[in-house]
Amino acid sequence: MRDSEDFRENLLSCLGGDWPEFCPLDPVIEDSIVRKGYRIEKVTYQVELGERVSAYVLIPDRVTSKSPAPGIAVWHQHNNIWTIGKSEPAGFIGDSAHFTGVALAREGYVVLCPDALCFEERQDPILRGGDFERFVFLHYLVNGKSLAWKYILDMRRAIDYLCSRSDVNADAIGCYGHSLGSISTWLVGPWEPRLKCLVGNCSLPTYSAIHRTRLITGFAIVIPGLSQYGDTPDIAALIAPRPLHLNFGAEDRHSPIIEVRKAVETIRKAYEQYGAEDKFTYFIEENQGHVLSERMWKYARSTLLQYLPPN
């Protein structure tokens, strides 16, 4: 079994080293929209000095500062559509199957849907879409950091923002994501102990699968030098013993199932070391690809409800 503390130190070094001292969030509510059973606030907050992130916050009607609710961060998918980020889980545009922020708000959660770097309101006025994403990846790489390092920093600031809200129970924070959002979930998990329950749908591509199948993957898992110390399941394993659920499609070409079956065993062994085998669960749906099926959502929803029950 891999030494988790040694791996954590090596992972941090490969990611790009320690994160900077966090600056003030300086949150601003820019707009508020009323929906049936909840409202949506358009907010911005600072992740680094001079850099602000746009996000939507979905607040159920019955939630107040006197009756706070658990908070869920929803990390959006990639899908090679850089014009859509936070707006899809918030229910404004995109595939209705991924209006998951809305679904969770209707369950009673305060839901935060932020834009990831390069998406929606965090695009560049000159370089568009994938060109800007490649530029940002190379920008961080030549400065000794990975894009994953930046994603993790921004997600940790998202959790800071959730915990800062008076209508959120800061002791009951979780996260969910599909595709890039799932990668985001297991990337941030080891570095954010305030996340008490984590759920990912699809996307645990391993370096071994990438090499075996010549898989062209996204920049989020390109962590220079990491393969000499371990693979992506070892990152997810660092979440133990906190509750973690992962869904997979057996036909998902983005996460070849041969390596996925080995990956979940690696994670299971890490939870076994803590005597917390029941805190790690997974579901592999046969004849499904890179999707959020009804059965997958059922498992995602039930896991969050089990460990972070709303008021």
Side-chain angles (χ1 to χ4, degrees):
M1 186 71 189
R2 195 178 308 279
D3 184 288
S4 61
E5 286 309 310
D6 284 350
F7 178 71
R8 181 186 293 271
E9 291 180 10
N10 290 323
L11 170 60
L12 182 58
S13 177
C14 291
L15 281 166
D18 291 332
W19 287 277
E21 183 176 342
F22 288 166
C23 64
L25 285 167
D26 188 24
V28 175
I29 299 175
E30 297 186 341
D31 196 8
S32 184
I33 305 166
V34 175
R35 292 283 193 264
K36 186 176 181 179
Y38 64 99
R39 73 181 188 278
I40 303 176
E41 291 180 352
K42 170 74 179 299
V43 304
T44 67
Y45 52 86
Q46 195 170 222
V47 290
E48 296 187 77
L49 282 174
E51 182 184 4
R52 301 186 70 83
V53 165
S54 292
Y56 288 119
V57 187
L58 288 67
I59 307 105
D61 288 346
R62 63 181 180 271
V63 173
T64 67
S65 59
K66 293 183 179 179
S67 181
I72 305 292
V74 177
W75 321 119
H76 62 74
Q77 67 170 328
H78 191 298
N79 204 27
N80 289 325
I81 304 176
W82 294 269
T83 55
I84 300 178
K86 65 185 180 300
S87 290
E88 186 168 55
F92 287 102
I93 193 172
D95 183 348
S96 61
H98 294 293
F99 290 178
T100 47
V102 175
L104 291 170
R106 287 175 174 155
E107 295 287 351
Y109 295 104
V110 175
V111 181
L112 175 67
C113 305
D115 279 332
L117 183 58
C118 303
F119 290 85
E120 203 165 312
E121 294 187 62
R122 299 183 74 188
Q123 297 181 86
D124 185 73
I126 299 173
L127 292 174
R128 306 300 289 179
D131 288 339
F132 183 51
E133 187 179 19
R134 284 189 289 273
F135 171 81
V136 168
F137 169 73
L138 293 172
H139 166 80
Y140 280 97
L141 188 65
V142 299
N143 283 285
K145 301 184 184 303
S146 63
L147 184 56
W149 180 93
K150 174 59 173 168
Y151 278 166
I152 295 167
L153 184 154
D154 289 355
M155 287 186 284
R156 294 184 65 198
R157 301 305 339 255
I159 304 307
D160 283 344
Y161 175 72
L162 263 180
C163 290
S164 76
R165 292 184 61 100
S166 62
D167 53 7
V168 171
N169 178 355
D171 293 322
I173 304 293
C175 70
Y176 163 81
H178 167 73
S179 192
L180 172 61
S182 184
I183 291 172
S184 299
T185 292
W186 51 257
L187 277 176
V188 72
W191 311 105
E192 195 40 83
R194 291 173 294 180
L195 287 168
K196 302 298 170 55
C197 180
L198 303 93
V199 179
N201 192 76
C202 298
S203 286
L204 184 57
T206 65
Y207 297 148
S208 57
I210 289 169
H211 296 151
R212 180 179 66 84
T213 66
R214 288 172 168 74
L215 178 66
I216 302 300
T217 189
F219 295 124
I221 68 163
V222 180
I223 303 174
L226 185 62
S227 62
Q228 64 187 302
Y229 304 114
D231 206 330
T232 54
D234 298 301
I235 302 176
L238 292 175
I239 297 169
R242 287 169 289 143
L244 170 66
H245 177 82
L246 299 173
N247 289 323
F248 302 98
E251 305 301 323
D252 185 355
R253 63 183 179 83
H254 298 285
S255 296
I257 198 62
I258 293 174
E259 283 78 14
V260 163
R261 295 188 189 280
K262 295 176 183 177
V264 295
E265 184 63 16
T266 295
I267 301 169
R268 186 195 65 77
K269 288 179 179 177
Y271 276 77
E272 190 176 63
Q273 280 197 323
Y274 285 92
E277 298 94 324
D278 60 325
K279 297 297 193 299
F280 172 61
T281 55
Y282 66 92
F283 170 61
I284 299 173
E285 187 165 1
E286 300 299 328
N287 304 312
Q288 288 285 9
H290 196 74
V291 299
L292 174 58
S293 69
E294 289 185 9
R295 293 184 70 192
M296 290 174 180
W297 179 245
K298 178 182 176 182
Y299 280 101
R301 172 182 173 274
S302 64
T303 301
L304 291 169
L305 289 173
Q306 177 183 356
Y307 291 106
L308 297 173
N311 300 339

